[in-house]
Amino acid sequence: MTQRRQRCGKHARSVMADRRWVLLPLCARAAWLQLTDIGDVMPELRQPRANHAVSQDELARLLAASADELATALQHLVQRDILEQVAGGYRLKVF
């Protein structure tokens, strides 16, 4: 059986329609869109296993972002209740 091709950006319309979208800086908007796509193929981003969430370093690697830029984006996403800090990492709450 062949694997279904993932369509990148399939969550974009719902994410951009969220009322919190306009309150976010561009770095946080970009991170949110990319994280929703990553969450489709990486379920631990949405539902972390016990005592193991996706760390900031892992997210920086997956997003090909610098740690400083990502830290700012993550701070805004946590403040707007889009991401949640759990077990030394992050969980995507809104997708």
Side-chain angles (χ1 to χ4, degrees):
M1 178 180 263
T2 62
Q3 182 181 3
R4 280 186 53 195
R5 188 171 152 220
Q6 290 289 327
R7 192 182 76 190
C8 294
K10 68 181 182 181
H11 301 285
R13 183 172 288 151
S14 62
V15 166
M16 293 170 74
D18 192 296
R19 58 183 171 76
R20 295 169 283 198
W21 177 259
V22 296
L23 303 173
L24 294 171
L26 290 176
C27 63
R29 290 179 184 187
W32 188 8
L33 285 174
Q34 290 177 327
L35 289 173
T36 57
D37 286 340
I38 292 170
D40 286 342
V41 294
M42 189 176 181
E44 58 268 23
L45 183 58
R46 294 182 179 173
Q47 296 296 324
R49 295 172 298 200
N51 297 324
H52 181 72
V54 181
S55 70
Q56 182 174 339
D57 292 336
E58 288 178 278
L59 290 175
R61 183 182 58 79
L62 291 169
L63 297 175
S66 72
D68 296 338
E69 293 170 348
L70 185 61
T72 302
L74 293 177
Q75 179 184 6
H76 286 283
L77 292 171
V78 169
Q79 284 176 349
R80 300 286 180 238
D81 207 30
I82 296 163
L83 283 180
E84 177 180 36
Q85 290 184 318
V86 290
Y90 293 92
R91 178 180 86 85
L92 185 62
K93 293 176 69 174
V94 179
F95 45 88

